[in-house]
């Protein structure tokens, strides 16, 4: 009775995926390792005060960060970073959805948002310091004030460009407002939102460091400036390495979440490429 | 005589724009009984989609009325389901096939068991029970349109409106889907309003074919298709009567295109 004209595509075999993962990890780790070896050889051959060998930096890394400094400097920084990121994402998505859905609100706010987005966030630090003092709140406010924009603007754009046929489908089936938000508007905007979140993460990390470099007494940014001013060059480099590692970790967590949330999106892309 | 389900009277739609008003629909009146399968054909650009959107309450008409079950349509009525031409944009790619069929049922007051039954039944009716866990984009075009039909069937509408649903699928799939629509109509007694630009399709499917004029649109002819209810792609299409009707509708559409038909004074 019924004739199928096509087969259902099944997800790729697992073993194949593992093999690919292994290969890409090898590539990802292999090249940095090679660079480290070259750097080590170079610094042994021609020692330079400001570029100590990776072995010395690694030693400094262990001595500096593994111990009480982790609790006094790294954890508070990470806490402010996490709070800043979460607030940015929550505020960005909530406000963005609202502005994206309500037309007059969008027309009212769009020029203003463009202006605020254009302000380089670090200039807010002196202002925030005046208003809030040198507090954790000030630092989190600075992070949010700079990092909220990518999520906010991308959410507005994503919500606004919901496909017209999809919207008409929802209307014709009398789907309720809440359901429309949950099953249509937010998923449809999710690729844009995730692109915004990616930018938000890196902006938040930058602002976390900068907010600690100004008149602060703890945190990663403070420590790195402190080491630099006291000619503790290896320690300074180890702080920079730690920041790099935090950045990589953030990116890794993001990519895991993104793969889950946008499974359908990557699936479509794969089908289109095939 | 079956009771009237859908009543369209003196429907008129003018699109207003800064460059001038465009009269898409001049004056359309027709009615449809419960359990009928009515096809609407017309030359391209004659405002078929505009007409459907007005009937479905998605577009506000400029004049005239649409009544479903005696109630005037001002917004999308709850007892009507739509199948769009663009299946790819009408199904939600982040939901599975089952999730798509289920979504419109969420706000209906049904128990979990009843809802599951409706979904299973609808998927079976379109022959997709195996694909429930797949995502729409993993399926072929014809199968995606089946999902859209299943979604409409599970919704249990009093009238199913289909807007050129098979225009974007290949010819063989199209024949299968046509038979699916016939089967839904015969076995489940569904009332279906089917818009198409394909003359053969309209005669094969319909019990009545409404031929629209070119824009500004009016009903040029309302033709009863006196073929047996059991239809078959090969034998029905080979009947002399089928050819006669097809030729007649074809001529009407040609006249409509050339604008030769004269609109009777209202």
């Amino acid at each position: 009775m019924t004739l199928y004209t096509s087969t259902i595509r099944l997800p790729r075999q697992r073993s194949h995926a593992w093999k690919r993962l292994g290969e890409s990890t090898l590539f990802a780790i292999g090249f940095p390792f090679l660079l480290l070896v070259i750097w080590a050889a170079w610094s042994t051959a021609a020692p330079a005060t400001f570029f100590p060998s990776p072995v010395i930096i690694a030693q400094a890394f262990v001595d500096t960060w593994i111990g009480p400094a982790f609790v006094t400097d790294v954890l508070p920084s990470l806490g402010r970073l996490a709070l800043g990121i979460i607030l940015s994402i929550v505020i960005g998505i909530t406000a963005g959805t609202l502005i994206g859905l309500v037309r007059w609100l969008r027309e009212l706010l769009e020029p203003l948002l463009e202006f605020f987005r254009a302000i380089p966030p670090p200039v807010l630090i002196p202002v925030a310091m005046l208003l809030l003092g040198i507090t954790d709140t000030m630092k989190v406010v600075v992070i949010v004030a700079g990092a909220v924009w990518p999520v906010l603007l991308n959410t507005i754009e994503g919500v606004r460009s919901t496909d017209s046929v999809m919207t008409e489908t929802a209307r014709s089936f009398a789907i309720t407002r809440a359901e429309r938000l949950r099953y249509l508007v937010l998923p449809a905007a999710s690729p844009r939102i995730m692109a915004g979140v990616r930018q938000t993460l890196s902006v938040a990390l930058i602002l976390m460091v900068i907010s600690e470099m100004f008149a602060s007494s703890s945190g990663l940014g403070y420590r790195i400036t402190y080491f630099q001013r006291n000619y503790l060059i290896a320690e300074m480099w180890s702080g920079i390495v730690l920041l790099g590692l935090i950045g990589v970790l953030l990116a890794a967590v993001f990519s895991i979440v993104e793969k889950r949330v946008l499974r359908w999106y990557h699936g479509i892309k794969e089908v289109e490429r095939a | 005589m079956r009771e009237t389900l859908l009543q369209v009277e003196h429907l008129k739609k003018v699109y207003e724009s800064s460059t001038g008003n465009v009269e898409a629909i001049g004056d359309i009146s027709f009615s449809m009984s419960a359990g009928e399968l009515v096809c609407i054909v017309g030359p391209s650009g004659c405002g078929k989609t505009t007409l459907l959107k007005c009937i479905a309450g998605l577009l506000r008409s400029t004049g005239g009325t649409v009544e479903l079950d005696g109630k005037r349509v001002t917004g999308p009525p709850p007892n009507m389901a739509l199948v769009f031409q663009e299946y790819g944009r009408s199904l939600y790619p982040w939901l599975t096939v089952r999730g798509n069929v289920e979504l419109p049922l969420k706000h209906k007051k049904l128990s979990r068991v009843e809802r599951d039954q409706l979904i299973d039944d609808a998927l079976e009716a379109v022959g997709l029970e195996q694909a429930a866990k797949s995502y729409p984009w993993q399926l072929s075009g014809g199968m995606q349109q089946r999902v859209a039909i299943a979604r409409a069937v599970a919704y249990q509408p009093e009238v199913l409106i289909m807007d050129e649903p098979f225009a974007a699928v290949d010819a063989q799939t199209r024949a299968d889907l046509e038979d699916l629509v016939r089967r839904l109509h015969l076995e489940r007694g569904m009332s279906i309003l089917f818009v198409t630009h394909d003359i053969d399709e309209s005669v094969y499917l319909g019990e009545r074919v409404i031929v629209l004029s070119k824009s500004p649109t009016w009903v040029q002819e309302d033709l009863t298709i006196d073929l047996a209810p059991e239809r078959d792609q090969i034998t029905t299409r080979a009947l002399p009567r089928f050819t006669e009707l097809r030729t007649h509708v074809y001529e009407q559409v040609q006249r409509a295109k050339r604008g030769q038909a004269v609109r009777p004074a209202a």
Side-chain angles (χ1 to χ4, degrees), chain A residues 1-11 163-176 179-180 182-185 187-190 263-268 271, chain B residues 53 57-58 76-77 80-82 84 86 88-95 103-104 106-107 126-131 134-135 137-140 143 146 151-152 155 173 176 183:
Chain A
M1 51 160 255
T2 314
L3 265 168
Y4 290 103
T5 54
S6 159
T7 47
I8 300 167
R9 271 173 242 264
L10 291 169
D163 187 275
S164 60
V165 177
M166 288 187 180
T167 310
E168 278 183 348
T169 304
R171 279 183 65 202
S172 72
F173 284 108
I175 286 166
T176 63
E179 283 171 353
R180 221 183 283 185
R182 162 76 183 75
Y183 295 104
L184 169 62
V185 175
S190 61
R263 213 166 79 90
W264 61 272
Y265 185 72
H266 296 305
I268 293 175
V271 169
Chain B
K53 284 188 176 167
L58 292 170
M80 179 187 281
L82 250 76
F84 294 85
E86 306 99 325
R89 291 166 62 197
S90 163
L91 297 171
Y92 296 169
W94 44 87
L95 297 176
L103 184 57
K106 279 187 192 286
H107 64 268
V126 301
L128 275 185
E129 55 277 56
Q130 305 300 323
S134 306
Y135 286 89
W137 38 268
Q138 293 173 311
L139 309 175
S140 68
M143 285 166 89
R146 280 172 198 268
R151 178 173 62 187
Y155 194 62
T173 311
D176 292 338
R183 209 166 57 239

Side-chain angles (χ1 to χ4, degrees), chain B residues 138-166:
Chain B
Q138 293 173 311
L139 309 175
S140 68
M143 285 166 89
Q144 290 186 39
Q145 197 54 292
R146 280 172 198 268
V147 178
I149 295 172
R151 178 173 62 187
V153 169
Y155 194 62
Q156 295 185 298
E158 278 181 63
V159 58
L160 173 60
I161 296 189
M162 306 180 93
D163 181 13
E164 302 201 29
F166 311 143

Side-chain angles (χ1 to χ4, degrees), chain B residues 3-7 66-73 79 158:
Chain B
E3 69 178 298
T4 306
L5 178 69
L6 184 72
Q7 181 88 39
V66 177
E67 275 180 17
L68 179 63
D69 250 352
K71 279 193 218 77
R72 199 165 159 182
V73 172
N79 46 357
E158 278 181 63

Side-chain angles (χ1 to χ4, degrees), chain B residues 139-210:
Chain B
L139 309 175
S140 68
M143 285 166 89
Q144 290 186 39
Q145 197 54 292
R146 280 172 198 268
V147 178
I149 295 172
R151 178 173 62 187
V153 169
Y155 194 62
Q156 295 185 298
E158 278 181 63
V159 58
L160 173 60
I161 296 189
M162 306 180 93
D163 181 13
E164 302 201 29
F166 311 143
V169 297
D170 62 87
Q172 285 167 33
T173 311
R174 189 174 187 145
D176 292 338
L177 290 171
E178 284 167 7
D179 288 335
L180 171 65
V181 169
R182 280 300 302 172
R183 209 166 57 239
L184 290 175
H185 169 63
L186 281 185
E187 290 173 7
R188 293 169 182 249
M190 290 184 80
S191 319
I192 301 173
L193 185 63
F194 192 104
V195 170
T196 177
H197 62 258
D198 184 323
I199 292 156
D200 281 51
E201 187 170 75
S202 71
V203 175
Y204 180 72
L205 284 179
E207 288 167 348
R208 260 169 68 205
V209 170
I210 293 174

